[in-house]
Amino acid sequence: EPEVTQTPSHQVTQMGQEVILRCVPISNHLYFYWYRQILGQKVEFLVSFYNNEISEKSEIFDDQFSVERPDGSNFTLKIRSTKLEDSAMYFCASSEGPHRTKNIQYFGAGTRLSVL
Amino acid sequence: AQKITQTQPGMFVQEKEAVTLDCTYDTSDPSYGLFWYKQPSSGEMIFLIYQGSYDQQNATEGRYSLNFQKARKSANLVISASQLGDSAMYFCAMREGREAGNQFYFGTGTSLTVIP
Protein backbone atom coordinates (compact mmCIF):
# COMPACT_ATOMS: atom_id res chain seq x y z
CA GLU A 1 0.00 0.00 0.00
CA PRO A 2 1.41 3.45 -0.90
CA GLU A 3 2.63 5.45 2.04
CA VAL A 4 4.17 8.76 3.00
CA THR A 5 7.80 8.33 4.02
CA GLN A 6 9.75 10.72 6.20
CA THR A 7 13.45 10.97 6.92
CA PRO A 8 15.15 11.05 9.29
CA SER A 9 13.04 9.44 11.99
CA HIS A 10 14.93 11.39 14.66
CA GLN A 11 16.97 14.55 14.25
CA VAL A 12 19.03 16.10 17.02
CA THR A 13 20.36 19.61 16.49
CA GLN A 14 21.87 22.50 18.37
CA MET A 15 19.86 25.65 18.92
CA GLY A 16 20.44 28.10 16.10
CA GLN A 17 21.26 25.44 13.53
CA GLU A 18 19.33 24.88 10.33
CA VAL A 19 17.48 21.61 9.81
CA ILE A 20 15.78 20.12 6.80
CA LEU A 21 13.10 17.51 7.25
CA ARG A 22 12.35 15.36 4.25
CA CYS A 23 9.19 13.70 3.02
CA VAL A 24 8.21 11.63 0.03
CA PRO A 25 4.43 11.97 -0.41
CA ILE A 26 2.24 9.33 -2.04
CA SER A 27 3.09 9.45 -5.72
CA ASN A 28 -0.24 10.50 -7.26
CA HIS A 29 -1.10 13.01 -4.54
CA LEU A 30 -1.08 16.70 -5.30
CA TYR A 31 -1.51 18.33 -1.88
CA PHE A 32 1.21 18.25 0.74
CA TYR A 33 1.19 19.33 4.34
CA TRP A 34 3.34 19.74 7.39
CA TYR A 35 2.01 19.43 10.92
CA ARG A 36 3.77 19.35 14.25
CA GLN A 37 2.97 17.77 17.58
CA ILE A 38 4.72 19.01 20.68
CA LEU A 39 5.08 16.18 23.18
CA GLY A 40 1.76 15.44 24.89
CA GLN A 41 -0.14 18.04 22.89
CA LYS A 42 -2.43 17.97 19.89
CA VAL A 43 -1.36 17.97 16.28
CA GLU A 44 -1.07 21.49 14.85
CA PHE A 45 -1.17 22.56 11.23
CA LEU A 46 1.85 24.37 9.82
CA VAL A 47 1.44 24.67 6.06
CA SER A 48 -0.18 23.22 2.97
CA PHE A 49 1.36 23.20 -0.50
CA TYR A 50 -0.19 22.76 -3.93
CA ASN A 51 0.97 23.40 -7.45
CA ASN A 52 4.42 24.48 -6.24
CA GLU A 53 3.20 27.14 -3.87
CA ILE A 54 1.93 27.53 -0.34
CA SER A 55 -1.86 27.41 -0.29
CA GLU A 56 -2.38 27.94 3.44
CA LYS A 57 -0.18 28.50 6.47
CA SER A 58 -0.72 28.93 10.17
CA GLU A 59 0.67 31.63 12.44
CA ILE A 60 3.23 29.10 13.64
CA PHE A 61 4.74 29.05 10.14
CA ASP A 62 6.78 32.24 10.42
CA ASP A 63 9.84 33.41 8.48
CA GLN A 64 11.96 30.76 10.14
CA PHE A 65 10.12 28.07 8.21
CA SER A 66 10.11 27.33 4.52
CA VAL A 67 8.90 24.48 2.32
CA GLU A 68 10.08 23.29 -1.02
CA ARG A 69 9.41 20.60 -3.56
CA PRO A 70 12.91 20.36 -5.02
CA ASP A 71 12.09 17.56 -7.45
CA GLY A 72 9.16 15.39 -8.50
CA SER A 73 9.11 13.28 -5.36
CA ASN A 74 10.47 15.10 -2.31
CA PHE A 75 8.81 17.70 -0.12
CA THR A 76 10.94 19.41 2.49
CA LEU A 77 10.47 21.57 5.55
CA LYS A 78 13.38 23.83 6.48
CA ILE A 79 13.79 25.53 9.82
CA ARG A 80 16.47 28.19 9.44
CA SER A 81 17.55 28.81 13.02
CA THR A 82 16.09 26.29 15.41
CA LYS A 83 14.84 27.24 18.85
CA LEU A 84 14.28 25.04 21.86
CA GLU A 85 10.53 25.35 21.37
CA ASP A 86 10.82 23.82 17.88
CA SER A 87 11.37 20.45 19.55
CA ALA A 88 8.41 18.36 18.42
CA MET A 89 7.30 15.54 16.16
CA TYR A 90 6.88 16.83 12.62
CA PHE A 91 4.43 15.04 10.39
CA CYS A 92 4.23 15.24 6.65
CA ALA A 93 0.92 14.39 4.99
CA SER A 94 -0.44 14.23 1.47
CA SER A 95 -3.85 14.04 -0.16
CA GLU A 96 -5.26 13.58 -3.63
CA GLY A 97 -6.01 16.43 -5.96
CA PRO A 98 -9.12 18.61 -6.23
CA HIS A 99 -12.51 17.19 -7.13
CA ARG A 100 -12.08 14.43 -4.58
CA THR A 101 -14.83 14.29 -2.01
CA LYS A 102 -13.02 12.87 0.98
CA ASN A 103 -9.53 14.37 0.60
CA ILE A 104 -8.15 12.14 3.28
CA GLN A 105 -4.75 13.26 4.47
CA TYR A 106 -2.33 10.35 4.84
CA PHE A 107 0.44 10.90 7.31
CA GLY A 108 4.01 9.75 7.48
CA ALA A 109 5.56 8.21 10.58
CA GLY A 110 6.99 11.57 11.62
CA THR A 111 10.39 13.06 12.35
CA ARG A 112 11.16 13.69 15.97
CA LEU A 113 13.18 16.91 16.19
CA SER A 114 15.15 17.50 19.37
CA VAL A 115 16.73 20.94 19.75
CA LEU A 116 19.41 21.12 22.42
CA ALA B 1 -13.68 28.17 20.74
CA GLN B 2 -12.05 24.83 20.04
CA LYS B 3 -12.84 23.37 16.65
CA ILE B 4 -12.56 19.80 17.96
CA THR B 5 -13.15 18.71 21.54
CA GLN B 6 -12.28 15.31 22.94
CA THR B 7 -13.26 15.19 26.59
CA GLN B 8 -11.88 11.77 27.50
CA PRO B 9 -8.13 11.94 28.14
CA GLY B 10 -8.01 8.22 28.89
CA MET B 11 -10.30 5.23 28.44
CA PHE B 12 -10.08 1.58 29.41
CA VAL B 13 -11.92 -1.28 27.74
CA GLN B 14 -11.94 -5.01 28.25
CA GLU B 15 -10.70 -7.06 25.33
CA LYS B 16 -13.55 -8.10 22.98
CA GLU B 17 -15.84 -5.37 24.33
CA ALA B 18 -16.99 -2.31 22.39
CA VAL B 19 -15.86 1.21 23.28
CA THR B 20 -17.01 4.69 22.26
CA LEU B 21 -14.60 7.59 21.99
CA ASP B 22 -16.28 10.99 22.07
CA CYS B 23 -15.70 13.89 19.71
CA THR B 24 -17.62 17.12 19.31
CA TYR B 25 -16.88 19.76 16.74
CA ASP B 26 -17.63 23.40 16.11
CA THR B 27 -18.04 24.92 12.69
CA SER B 28 -20.43 27.22 10.87
CA ASP B 29 -19.45 25.85 7.47
CA PRO B 30 -22.20 23.55 6.11
CA SER B 31 -19.59 21.49 4.28
CA TYR B 32 -16.97 19.68 6.33
CA GLY B 33 -15.28 16.35 6.80
CA LEU B 34 -14.63 14.48 10.02
CA PHE B 35 -11.76 12.03 10.43
CA TRP B 36 -10.40 9.69 13.07
CA TYR B 37 -6.75 8.74 13.35
CA LYS B 38 -4.96 6.21 15.52
CA GLN B 39 -1.52 6.94 16.93
CA PRO B 40 0.23 3.92 18.43
CA SER B 41 3.19 4.32 20.75
CA SER B 42 5.49 4.19 17.71
CA GLY B 43 4.14 7.61 16.75
CA GLU B 44 2.71 7.30 13.26
CA MET B 45 -0.76 8.64 12.49
CA ILE B 46 -2.99 6.02 10.90
CA PHE B 47 -6.21 7.04 9.15
CA LEU B 48 -9.22 5.06 10.37
CA ILE B 49 -12.50 6.49 9.12
CA TYR B 50 -14.11 9.46 7.37
CA GLN B 51 -17.56 11.05 7.63
CA GLY B 52 -18.73 13.82 5.32
CA SER B 53 -21.19 16.44 6.53
CA TYR B 54 -23.66 15.55 3.81
CA ASP B 55 -23.40 11.79 4.26
CA GLN B 56 -26.77 10.36 5.17
CA GLN B 57 -25.43 7.22 6.76
CA ASN B 58 -22.91 6.65 9.49
CA ALA B 59 -19.51 5.59 8.18
CA THR B 60 -18.20 2.11 8.88
CA GLU B 61 -14.80 0.54 8.25
CA GLY B 62 -14.46 -2.97 9.58
CA ARG B 63 -14.57 -2.80 13.39
CA TYR B 64 -14.71 1.00 13.31
CA SER B 65 -17.92 2.93 12.98
CA LEU B 66 -18.71 6.59 13.39
CA ASN B 67 -21.80 7.67 15.31
CA PHE B 68 -22.53 10.93 13.50
CA GLN B 69 -25.11 13.18 15.15
CA LYS B 70 -25.13 16.33 13.08
CA ALA B 71 -27.57 18.35 15.17
CA ARG B 72 -25.47 17.70 18.27
CA LYS B 73 -22.23 18.23 16.33
CA SER B 74 -20.79 14.99 17.54
CA ALA B 75 -18.81 12.32 15.70
CA ASN B 76 -18.05 9.55 18.13
CA LEU B 77 -15.85 6.63 17.15
CA VAL B 78 -17.10 3.18 18.08
CA ILE B 79 -14.62 0.33 18.13
CA SER B 80 -16.27 -3.07 18.33
CA ALA B 81 -14.65 -6.26 19.63
CA SER B 82 -11.59 -4.45 21.03
CA GLN B 83 -8.22 -6.06 20.55
CA LEU B 84 -4.97 -5.54 22.45
CA GLY B 85 -3.54 -3.87 19.36
CA ASP B 86 -6.18 -1.16 19.62
CA SER B 87 -4.32 0.35 22.57
CA ALA B 88 -3.20 3.75 21.26
CA MET B 89 -4.02 7.45 21.15
CA TYR B 90 -7.03 8.32 19.04
CA PHE B 91 -7.46 11.72 17.45
CA CYS B 92 -10.57 13.25 15.96
CA ALA B 93 -10.01 15.82 13.19
CA MET B 94 -12.08 18.11 11.01
CA ARG B 95 -11.61 19.78 7.66
CA GLU B 96 -13.84 22.79 7.05
CA GLY B 97 -15.12 23.50 3.57
CA ARG B 98 -14.70 21.62 0.32
CA GLU B 99 -11.22 22.83 -0.59
CA ALA B 100 -8.88 19.90 -0.94
CA GLY B 101 -5.93 21.63 0.69
CA ASN B 102 -7.72 22.93 3.75
CA GLN B 103 -6.00 22.22 7.04
CA PHE B 104 -7.17 19.64 9.50
CA TYR B 105 -8.03 20.69 13.05
CA PHE B 106 -7.22 18.04 15.63
CA GLY B 107 -8.53 17.37 19.10
CA THR B 108 -6.34 16.65 22.10
CA GLY B 109 -6.80 12.92 21.74
CA THR B 110 -8.00 10.00 23.85
CA SER B 111 -5.63 7.37 25.13
CA LEU B 112 -7.28 3.96 24.87
CA THR B 113 -6.01 0.99 26.84
CA VAL B 114 -7.37 -2.46 26.09
CA ILE B 115 -7.21 -4.77 29.08
CA PRO B 116 -6.75 -8.51 28.51
Side-chain angles (χ1 to χ4, degrees), chain B residues 19 35 80 106:
Chain B
V19 63
F35 305 78
S80 62
F106 282 84

Side-chain angles (χ1 to χ4, degrees), chain B residues 36-72:
Chain B
W36 277 91
Y37 288 85
K38 173 184 178 182
Q39 187 180 42
S41 57
S42 49
E44 70 269 34
M45 295 279 286
I46 302 167
F47 166 73
L48 295 178
I49 195 166
Y50 162 85
Q51 180 83 44
S53 60
Y54 296 114
D55 293 344
Q56 295 295 313
Q57 296 194 326
N58 287 341
T60 60
E61 290 284 350
R63 293 187 299 110
Y64 304 109
S65 60
L66 204 150
N67 184 358
F68 181 46
Q69 297 188 46
K70 196 169 182 177
R72 297 177 66 180

